[in-house]
Amino acid sequence: MKTLGLIGGMSWESTQTYYQLINQGIKAQLGGLHSAKIALQSLDFAGIAQLQKDGDWDAMAQMLGEAAERLEKSGADVVMICTNTMHKMAPEIAARLSVPLLHIADTTAAAIASQGLKKVGLLGTAFTMEQDFYRGHIQDNFGIEVVIPNAADRDVVHQIIYGELCLGQVNASSRDEYLRIIDSLAAQGAEGVILGCTEIGMLIKQKDTEVPLFDTTPIHAAAAVEFALA
C-alpha cells in the first residue's frame, strides 16, 4: 500500500471527512483491520484565510509548498491538497515535488466525463468560482463547460462557506439557499453541479435535489484510495 500525503486543515471540518472516507475505502477494499497509510500536514486556517483576503497567493504557495515537501520527506508517495481553492497554487506546489500531486479538479472532471456530461455548474468559494484556475483547468483539459452563479448568489455561497460551514455550522436556511442556486444553474443548462468546496457536502446531499451533484471531497478521497492500492 502506498502512503498518501494530505495537506489539510483548510478547514479541519472537511479534513476529518477525508480521513474517514479514505480509511473506509481502504477497509472496503482490503477488509479486516486494514486502514490507510496517511501522512498529514494540517495547517492553521485562520492565517491562510487572512492571506486569501489579502490576495497574498505567493505566501500561501510558499506555505503549502513547504508542507508538501515535508510530506514527501516523511514518505508520502503522492500529495493531495484537501481543499479546492488552494489548487490555485497547484502548479507551484507540484513543481517542488518528485512525487505526483493528485489534483482535485482532475478527479472531479473525470467523474463528470464518465457520465457524458458537457456542461456543469460550480459552487465554491468566490476565488474558485470567479478565477480561472479551476474552471479553466476543467474546460481546457476535459472540454467540459463550467457555469457559475450570478454575483449576488456567489456572495451567498461564499459567505455560507466561511461564516458557517468552516465553523462546523449546518443551517437549514442555508441549505435552502444553496438548493435555490443549484436550480438556477440547472436553468442555465447545467447538467450537473460541482460542489467545489470540500465543506459543501456537509450541507448538501444528492437526496436533496434531482440535479446530479459532484461532491469533490468523496471523489478526491476515492481517487486517493485507488492510488494507494494501485
Side-chain angles (χ1 to χ4, degrees):
M1 187 192 308
K2 298 182 181 69
T3 299
L4 304 172
L6 276 56
I7 305 177
M10 302 167 287
S11 68
W12 70 262
E13 296 286 349
S14 61
T15 303
Q16 66 177 342
T17 304
Y18 267 93
Y19 188 82
Q20 181 180 40
L21 290 172
I22 290 169
N23 278 293
Q24 287 174 341
I26 293 293
K27 182 178 180 180
Q29 292 290 323
L30 300 182
L33 297 176
H34 283 288
S35 56
K37 295 171 65 178
I38 292 175
L40 172 63
Q41 285 283 316
S42 189
L43 306 181
D44 181 4
F45 191 36
I48 290 171
Q50 185 60 52
L51 290 171
Q52 290 176 339
K53 193 173 182 179
D54 295 341
D56 194 348
W57 297 99
D58 289 341
M60 288 181 278
Q62 181 67 18
M63 290 173 63
L64 267 70
E66 291 173 355
E69 289 176 341
R70 289 193 294 270
L71 288 170
E72 183 172 1
K73 288 177 182 176
S74 73
D77 298 297
V78 66
V79 169
M80 302 169 61
I81 307 168
C82 299
T83 159
N84 288 271
T85 298
M86 302 304 273
H87 278 75
K88 178 178 172 68
M89 291 85 67
E92 293 92 329
I93 296 164
R96 300 175 68 144
L97 297 169
S98 60
V99 297
L101 179 72
L102 187 59
H103 200 298
I104 197 168
D106 287 337
T107 60
T108 301
I112 295 166
S114 72
Q115 296 193 23
L117 307 188
K118 296 296 183 183
K119 183 176 182 179
V120 294
L122 171 64
L123 302 180
T125 67
F127 314 108
T128 301
M129 291 186 288
E130 295 172 359
Q131 299 182 25
D132 193 53
F133 69 90
Y134 198 91
R135 292 184 291 124
H137 186 92
I138 291 175
Q139 290 174 171
D140 294 344
N141 291 286
F142 293 86
I144 298 168
E145 183 182 355
V146 181
V147 296
I148 59 175
N150 62 41
D153 285 347
R154 293 197 301 273
D155 186 61
V156 170
V157 172
H158 182 88
Q159 294 303 326
I160 288 172
I161 290 169
Y162 281 88
E164 299 176 19
L165 299 180
C166 287
L167 299 173
Q169 299 173 13
V170 177
N171 297 315
S173 59
S174 297
R175 180 179 298 110
D176 291 341
E177 282 288 86
Y178 268 51
L179 292 173
R180 176 186 63 77
I181 294 168
I182 287 170
D183 287 342
S184 74
L185 291 169
Q188 293 182 53
E191 302 168 289
V193 172
I194 299 170
L195 305 185
C197 172
T198 53
E199 286 81 21
I200 296 178
M202 297 163 54
L203 182 66
I204 299 294
K205 310 293 185 186
Q206 186 61 72
K207 65 181 177 60
D208 298 320
T209 177
E210 295 182 358
V211 179
L213 300 179
F214 296 88
D215 186 348
T216 54
T217 304
I219 291 171
H220 204 200
V225 171
E226 183 177 352
F227 184 95
L229 298 179

